[in-house]
Amino acid sequence: QVQLQESGPGLVKPSQTLSLTCTVSGGSITTSYYYWSWIRQPPGKGLEWMGAIAYEGSNYYSPSLKSRTSISRDTSKNQFSLQLSSVTPEDTAVYYCARITVAGSYDYWGQGTQVTVSS
C-alpha cells in the first residue's frame, strides 16, 4: 500500500551538496506515529542510517553525519528530502528512503538510487 520513491541527480561534484527527494504515496508523512528516514549503502559496505524526520516534524541525525545532513519535508506534496553538504567520493552510495515504525523497525523502503560523487 505505502510506496516510497527516491529522486534526484545521480552525479554530484565534490564539495557540492547532494540533494534527494522521497515521494510517498499510499500514506501520509504526517500520520502518527511514523518516522521517515534516509539510509545509504556504499559499494561493498553495509547499510548506514543517516537520519529521519518524524510525523510531527522533529529531526534525528546520525552523530557521524549530523554536521553535514539536513532532512526536511513538504507536507503539501507528501515528500521529504535529504541534503548532504560538502560531499566527497566517500559519499558515493545507493541512497534509500524508508519508513520507521514507533517500534523502531523499517516496514517500507524505496527502491534506492545510485549517487556518485565525482568531478
Side-chain angles (χ1 to χ4, degrees), residues 50-51 61-62 65-71 82-85:
M50 301 181 70
Y61 298 111
S62 169
L65 295 170
K66 183 176 182 179
S67 66
R68 297 194 292 133
T69 305
S70 178
I71 297 172
L82 169 73
Q83 292 191 306
L84 182 67
S85 65

Side-chain angles (χ1 to χ4, degrees), residues 3 10 13-14 19 24 26 32 41 44 46 55 60 63 67 70 89 95 102 117:
Q3 294 182 319
K13 293 182 173 66
S19 297
V24 179
S32 303
Q41 185 170 35
Y55 59 98
Y60 304 87
S67 66
S70 178
Y95 285 75
V102 71
V117 178

Side-chain angles (χ1 to χ4, degrees), residues 3-7 21-25 77-80 97:
Q3 294 182 319
L4 295 82
Q5 182 170 271
E6 304 90 347
S7 62
T21 296
C22 184
T23 300
V24 179
S25 61
K77 296 180 179 180
N78 212 37
Q79 296 177 328
F80 64 103
C97 55

Side-chain angles (χ1 to χ4, degrees), residues 3-95:
Q3 294 182 319
L4 295 82
Q5 182 170 271
E6 304 90 347
S7 62
L11 183 65
V12 182
K13 293 182 173 66
S15 82
Q16 295 189 337
T17 296
L18 181 159
S19 297
L20 296 173
T21 296
C22 184
T23 300
V24 179
S25 61
S28 173
I29 62 173
T30 64
T31 296
S32 303
Y33 297 94
Y34 296 106
Y35 299 75
W36 305 89
S37 66
W38 289 97
I39 307 97
R40 68 180 183 179
Q41 185 170 35
K45 298 183 179 180
L47 296 168
E48 178 185 23
W49 179 79
M50 301 181 70
I53 188 164
Y55 59 98
E56 27 73 354
S58 299
N59 285 120
Y60 304 87
Y61 298 111
S62 169
S64 64
L65 295 170
K66 183 176 182 179
S67 66
R68 297 194 292 133
T69 305
S70 178
I71 297 172
S72 59
R73 66 179 184 170
D74 185 336
T75 58
S76 69
K77 296 180 179 180
N78 212 37
Q79 296 177 328
F80 64 103
S81 298
L82 169 73
Q83 292 191 306
L84 182 67
S85 65
S86 303
V87 298
T88 74
E90 291 187 352
D91 294 309
T92 294
V94 176
Y95 285 75

